[in-house]
Amino acid sequence: MEVIIIDILSRVRSYKEEVDSLKWEGTFEEYLGIIKERPEVAQTAHSRVYNMIKSSGVEERDGKKMYQFFGKEIFGLETALERLVEEYFHPAARRLDVRKRILLLMGPVSGGKSTIVTLLKRGLEHYSRTDEGAVYAIKGCPMHEDPLHLIPQHLREDFFKEYGIRIEGSLSPLNTMRLEQEYGGHVEDVLIERIFFSEDKRVGIGTFTPSDPKSQDIADLTGSIDFSTIAEYGSESDPRAYRFDGELNKANRGMMEFQEMLKLDEKFLWHLLSLTQEGNFKAGRFALISADELIVAHTNETEYRTFISNKKNEALHSRIIVMPIPYNLKVSEEERIYAKMISESDMAHVHIAPHALRAAAIFSVLTRLEIPKKQGIDLVKKMRLYDGESVEGFNSVDVEELKKEHQNEGMNGIDPRYVINRISSAIIRKEVPSINALDVLRSLKEGLDQHASISEEDREKYMNYIAIARKEYDEIAKNEVQKAFVYSYEESAKHLMNNYLDNVEAFCNKNKLRDPITGEEMNPDEKLMRSIEEQIGISENAKRAFREEILIRLSAFARKGKRFDYNSHERLREAIQKKLFADLKDVVKITTSSTTPDESQLKKINEVVARLIDKHGYDSNSANELLRYVGSLLNR
Ligand SMILES: Nc1ncnc2c1ncn2[C@@H]1O[C@H](COP(=O)(O)OP(=O)(O)OP(=O)(O)O)[C@@H](O)[C@H]1O
Ligand SMILES: [Mg+2]
């Protein structure tokens, strides 16, 4: 224990040393020296956010940009995030008009909106500690005012010519007064310091949460008169008698999160609008106060529709930019979301059997998908295609077409938090800290009855999706066990396929084969080839065409110098797998379902369980459960 404490303390210390080493203080004159060399220091809040996102790296995949800034926490929303960056942050950083609008993330419950906002906040805190993201402010200013505001309006054009930096906004009433009283009007002497964004310390990052609309005070946003000092300064309009400590003041230079914005009273919204539109807001009895900050709000679709359907909100509406944040629609990404949420929860110690999260993910994604209109595609195929799996007869062009069928897809369905809650209640019910796909699906199903906000119609649909998820899982479970029965599945599959290919080659070229042991010449083994082909329904008449096609594929691979392996031909792979499993079926069936296994069966079971644990990620409890389940499936 002691060791850990010492380690933590030394890390706290070294962090403090690091922060201390970043501190900087100097005169405005010295500050101008800094921005001459590194003009990025003087960038706007929007530009800083954009550069921060870019600095984590951008990956191009299939013509789509993936921003790694979000990648560790947000899964499956690449398209929405690309749009957010390309349509808001990027143009806003270039001082285009969107910057003057409030950014409103709109999406269904638990779809990751708050997570995105939190990422931006934590990101900014970190970025302000780097060289590229450094921020400087007038020392002692509660709003960490931009030092460049000290440059008088009439000199700004010349300043731009010399420094290439545009200055927006005017010196605040407080600093105007301080300039006169503390610095005798000498701009060059004004003290500047480097600041570090911190939500806890209320520097550059703010959060506004509405309270009761009747008692909500505008002071929460724009600060308030400090009655204790009025006597000292003589008047309410002396800026020193005002506390510039509203959320809008504190978030200056960085960003502010607006929770439940659309529930807010109009008079609050107007302040925001003036701020975003004109870059300033009104506080107390002072001239307008300039501020530069990104304002992000979030809402769900219903709330948003109510808001815009109200005529009174029309003007507000045109000053908001709405970015949809839909649910993730890829099964494997959904699994990652659950795994992340579980690792962050108090369930982290529980053994989650392989495919348990996948089964739940299949269910959730199905509830979010719209029924496809395209010929020959059902919901399950669409789900596979969206997840990047190959589905016979369809390609990536089809996937794009499917996506275009429903522009608004992903705004409805089951949310991740519901799934996590159901997993958690399944765990509570079980005595052992281990949970499998069947437990999860059962719990999801039971939960639907208690779920108040699901319509009768949806409930029925959802029950059906659970049945589909169960069927998908059954296939996965059978495969898993059958593979575990073979000493080395990959080896066996490879061996069987090579054998098949040798025979196909001889058959097509009308050659003979040589027996590897006796060296005798033999005819191609028709029985073996048919036993494989029949697994995928290739008829006697179609066999020649199938074999020739395989041979063509084989030589195409050879020409390109690529290895043809057992994954190179989708249907052949399926045939080989089915053949292997068919040969095994009886053994698996008898072994797994026998209530009084004999010695050799027992040995086999132990071997299989050991393999499931070592190679496939089960614990002994879930491995035994899996075997029993598959036994019952095979005996149906
Ligand atoms: N696409 C996703 N990638 C990663 N995690 C996600 C995703 N969608 C949801 N989550 C997780 O689900 C949980 C809920 O997300 P979050 O609170 O960000 O949603 P929200 O949209 O703000 O919801 P609400 O409307 O209820 O406020 C979080 O733990 C979050 O990490
Ligand atoms: Mg939220």
Side-chain angles (χ1 to χ4, degrees), residues 97-109:
D97 222 43
V98 285
R99 167 171 80 113
K100 298 193 169 160
R101 298 201 228 152
I102 295 173
L103 174 61
L104 179 63
L105 304 179
M106 180 188 67
V109 287

Side-chain angles (χ1 to χ4, degrees), residues 410-469:
M411 286 294 182
N412 294 298
I414 287 289
D415 64 294
R417 212 177 273 132
Y418 171 77
V419 173
I420 294 300
N421 289 344
R422 294 316 302 170
I423 291 178
S424 138
S425 68
I427 288 169
I428 291 165
R429 192 149 10 124
K430 253 183 137 178
E431 290 129 39
V432 275
S434 151
I435 191 158
N436 63 36
L438 298 174
D439 299 323
V440 171
L441 288 176
R442 196 179 306 119
S443 182
L444 283 170
K445 193 169 172 176
E446 285 166 10
L448 290 181
D449 292 325
Q450 305 154 19
H451 203 306
S453 65
I454 297 180
S455 70
E456 203 42 57
E457 192 193 338
D458 278 346
R459 195 186 317 274
E460 209 164 291
K461 230 169 45 187
Y462 289 3
M463 288 295 185
N464 182 33
Y465 294 151
I466 288 183
I468 295 177

Side-chain angles (χ1 to χ4, degrees), residues 269-450:
L269 289 175
W270 282 111
H271 271 277
L272 280 185
L273 287 173
S274 138
L275 173 61
T276 47
Q277 194 75 8
E278 326 296 344
N280 54 36
F281 62 90
K282 184 95 181 124
R285 296 191 178 163
F286 309 111
L288 290 165
I289 296 175
S290 304
D292 170 32
E293 55 201 82
L294 160 72
I295 298 184
V296 195
H298 32 94
T299 181
N300 63 45
E301 204 173 5
T302 329
E303 208 172 72
Y304 177 68
R305 300 261 168 254
T306 322
F307 176 78
I308 54 169
S309 66
N310 185 346
K311 269 260 177 280
K312 263 181 21 193
N313 292 328
E314 235 163 44
L316 294 170
H317 179 204
S318 68
R319 295 175 191 187
I320 291 173
I321 187 157
V322 182
M323 283 289 155
I325 305 292
Y327 285 138
N328 154 58
L329 298 176
K330 295 183 183 140
V331 173
S332 13
E333 300 293 327
E334 190 70 10
E335 273 185 85
R336 291 178 72 197
I337 298 178
Y338 302 156
K340 179 192 77 171
M341 290 171 82
I342 289 172
S343 75
E344 289 166 353
S345 75
D346 55 2
M347 301 184 265
H349 65 286
V350 176
H351 173 78
I352 312 268
H355 317 299
L357 300 184
R358 186 165 193 88
I362 290 173
F363 164 69
S364 318
V365 170
L366 284 173
T367 67
R368 298 168 189 171
L369 293 178
E370 305 283 346
I371 310 280
K373 297 177 193 150
K374 203 179 177 66
Q375 278 277 312
I377 290 207
D378 58 18
L379 210 56
V380 173
K381 279 187 185 157
K382 178 172 174 177
M383 172 186 88
R384 295 220 165 91
L385 284 169
Y386 271 23
D387 201 17
E389 282 184 49
S390 60
V391 173
E392 181 134 334
F394 298 97
N395 57 32
S396 56
V397 179
D398 297 301
V399 180
E400 288 314 307
E401 277 176 25
L402 280 173
K403 285 184 182 158
K404 287 207 188 85
E405 280 181 4
H406 305 274
Q407 301 284 357
N408 241 346
E409 199 165 34
M411 286 294 182
N412 294 298
I414 287 289
D415 64 294
R417 212 177 273 132
Y418 171 77
V419 173
I420 294 300
N421 289 344
R422 294 316 302 170
I423 291 178
S424 138
S425 68
I427 288 169
I428 291 165
R429 192 149 10 124
K430 253 183 137 178
E431 290 129 39
V432 275
S434 151
I435 191 158
N436 63 36
L438 298 174
D439 299 323
V440 171
L441 288 176
R442 196 179 306 119
S443 182
L444 283 170
K445 193 169 172 176
E446 285 166 10
L448 290 181
D449 292 325
Q450 305 154 19

